[in-house]
Amino acid sequence: MSRIGRLTCDLRISIHMLISQHHALIGEESITGMVGTIEQQCNVLKVVEDAYNAARVLCEREYLDSPRLKATCLDTTDSNPETRDQVSAAMVPAHLHHIMFEILKNAMRATCEFAE
């Protein structure tokens, strides 16, 4: 597929996602019956931990070991000390998962190959 073809396909997918999300937010069913893909209270740390676990499986399969992850969150806008470590945002969890999976996979590979 040419670069222009990929961009057109990506644009079409993005527009479809936005239309689907709009219909879901106003309570209407979309033409295809799909619901929106944006989670309004996406738990960011959970998505990152899921992406780490997926990348860890690949790393352990390739290198028989994997770096450990210690991830924490801090919401500096939250004045309640009991909930400051719970960060949520309106986003597409699958997109965040994909991005974090790629970042973590590359970091784990570099760690295993160069920092033994």
Side-chain angles (χ1 to χ4, degrees):
M1 182 183 289
S2 71
R3 183 181 172 134
I4 292 175
R6 281 193 307 269
L7 290 174
T8 303
C9 182
D10 289 346
L11 181 60
R12 193 173 311 130
I13 291 169
S14 298
I15 290 171
H16 177 74
M17 185 186 85
L18 288 172
I19 291 169
S20 177
Q21 183 62 29
H22 172 73
H23 286 288
L25 287 173
I26 62 173
E28 294 180 6
E29 191 172 320
S30 68
I31 296 169
T32 62
M34 295 179 64
V35 296
T37 57
I38 297 173
E39 187 175 333
Q40 293 182 357
Q41 294 294 321
C42 177
N43 183 331
V44 175
L45 186 57
K46 182 181 180 323
V47 174
V48 170
E49 288 172 343
D50 290 346
Y52 164 75
N53 288 327
R56 183 177 54 83
V57 168
L58 291 178
C59 188
E60 287 180 354
R61 189 177 299 155
E62 180 70 23
Y63 300 104
L64 305 175
D65 195 14
S66 64
R68 303 297 171 246
L69 174 72
K70 181 179 179 184
T72 59
C73 289
L74 178 64
D75 183 354
T76 58
T77 64
D78 189 353
S79 59
N80 183 351
E82 294 180 14
T83 59
R84 290 184 83 175
D85 62 344
Q86 301 169 11
V87 176
S88 63
M91 65 179 59
V92 180
H95 293 177
L96 177 61
H97 183 278
H98 179 74
I99 292 165
M100 292 308 303
F101 171 79
E102 291 297 327
I103 290 170
L104 291 165
K105 180 186 70 163
N106 292 340
M108 293 167 105
R109 185 191 72 216
T111 299
C112 287
E113 289 180 1
F114 300 110
E116 288 191 19

